[in-house]
Amino acid sequence: MSRTENIYHRTVSSVLLVILALPLAATLVYALSREWSDTILPHGLTLSWFTTLWQDPRFISALWHSLLVCFGALLISLLLVLPAMFVIAYYYPGLDSIMNVLILMPFAVPPVVSSVGLLQLYSSEPLMLTGTPWILIGCYFTIALPFIYRAITNNMQSVNLKELIDAAHLLGAGTCKAAIFVVLPNLRKGVLVAVLLSFSFLIGEFVFANLLVGSRYETLQVYLYNMRNGSGHFTSALVISYFAVILVVTWLANLLNRQ
């Protein structure tokens, strides 16, 4: 790549970054302003909106609920999907075409439509799950499945799974031991991408959380919806905090991946 092309690509990347960051920067300034209504610049800056937000037990509870449901769904997804993907890739590669169809099914049915069916199924005995976090974990599992399966499948195809297992067999390792100690470490980048992509999507999910659980197990998005009629500065502080949580989780995941 020539020097001119390099400068061009850097300039385009910088411009795109500025365009994407402008709405977030404006929201941050609005969250820090005392009052900003009829002037170009805000009337003073303050951290009182953030202090009020983080001292609200309802917000802390909603944040904790969102993290529990998201990580619970991701943990169950990885524990169920990873072994199934290994079996399919190593023993039954022909099933991959069927899985490609199955993972698209969650996108074929709108969340509003599926929520109506779930309310009919789980609002009475023997499984009364409506209003509990368990129904959200199940729904989030179906949402995360396509992202997890596709990201890890692409990674699994690039590491030559059969050659790794065969080499481990030659060295005396069993199939299960080779899958855990040889294949899994080579999939950590795909797992990290799948987890981060699924987490950023799940923590922003609103339809299932609002229709199936609502305020009985208030998540972050439902809390944001319930506070929509409050102060705009408070809501802006909530949005910035939401982005900060995602940024911290992403940073921790990258840190753990390096270690």
Side-chain angles (χ1 to χ4, degrees):
M1 183 181 294
S2 65
R3 180 186 177 91
T4 304
E5 292 178 345
N6 191 19
I7 295 176
Y8 171 77
H9 287 300
R10 287 186 178 182
T11 303
V12 171
S13 300
S14 301
V15 171
L16 289 176
L17 182 61
V18 170
I19 293 174
L20 293 174
L22 276 177
L24 188 60
T27 305
L28 176 61
V29 174
Y30 192 74
L32 292 173
S33 61
R34 294 183 182 275
E35 184 181 351
W36 193 4
S37 57
D38 55 351
T39 57
I40 297 179
L41 297 177
H43 295 291
L45 300 177
T46 180
L47 291 174
S48 60
W49 301 111
F50 285 97
T51 304
T52 303
L53 174 66
W54 285 93
Q55 289 180 348
D56 184 7
R58 188 177 167 188
F59 166 72
I60 300 299
S61 177
L63 176 60
W64 180 244
H65 289 169
S66 292
L67 293 177
L68 279 178
V69 171
C70 291
F71 284 117
L74 290 175
L75 180 60
I76 294 175
S77 299
L78 291 176
L79 291 177
L80 294 179
V81 173
L82 275 176
M85 291 180 61
F86 174 78
V87 171
I88 292 174
Y90 188 67
Y91 293 104
Y92 308 105
L95 294 178
D96 184 64
S97 58
I98 299 177
M99 288 299 301
N100 287 329
V101 175
L102 292 177
I103 63 175
L104 294 177
M105 292 181 65
F107 298 106
V109 182
V112 175
V113 177
S114 57
S115 296
V116 175
L118 291 171
L119 286 172
Q120 294 292 327
L121 287 173
Y122 298 111
S123 295
S124 58
E125 296 292 348
L127 292 176
M128 295 184 62
L129 300 180
T130 304
T132 68
W134 304 111
I135 193 170
L136 276 186
I137 291 176
C139 292
Y140 286 2
F141 168 78
T142 62
I143 294 174
L145 177 61
F147 301 104
I148 292 176
Y149 185 85
R150 183 45 53 201
I152 298 178
T153 296
N154 293 337
N155 193 183
M156 195 174 288
Q157 291 174 350
S158 66
V159 299
N160 294 322
L161 179 65
K162 288 186 176 296
E163 293 183 5
L164 284 177
I165 298 297
D166 292 341
H169 286 165
L170 290 175
L171 296 174
T175 303
C176 183
K177 188 175 182 179
I180 297 175
F181 294 102
V182 178
V183 176
L184 191 58
N186 284 279
L187 299 179
R188 72 177 189 271
K189 289 186 178 180
V191 172
L192 177 65
V193 170
V195 168
L196 291 179
L197 184 61
S198 301
F199 174 79
S200 62
F201 194 89
L202 293 179
I203 200 170
E205 201 284 323
F206 171 73
V207 177
F208 282 124
N210 187 46
L211 294 178
L212 299 177
V213 178
S215 298
R216 286 170 289 181
Y217 193 82
E218 195 173 44
T219 61
L220 197 58
Q221 290 298 320
V222 176
Y223 175 80
L224 176 60
Y225 174 76
N226 292 333
M227 304 301 290
R228 67 190 184 282
N229 294 325
S231 171
H233 300 281
F234 183 84
T235 307
S236 298
L238 176 56
V239 172
I240 294 299
S241 299
Y242 166 78
F243 277 102
V245 169
I246 297 178
L247 183 63
V248 169
V249 172
T250 304
W251 175 76
L252 289 176
N254 286 318
L255 182 63
L256 292 174
N257 184 56
R258 292 172 185 170
Q259 293 178 351

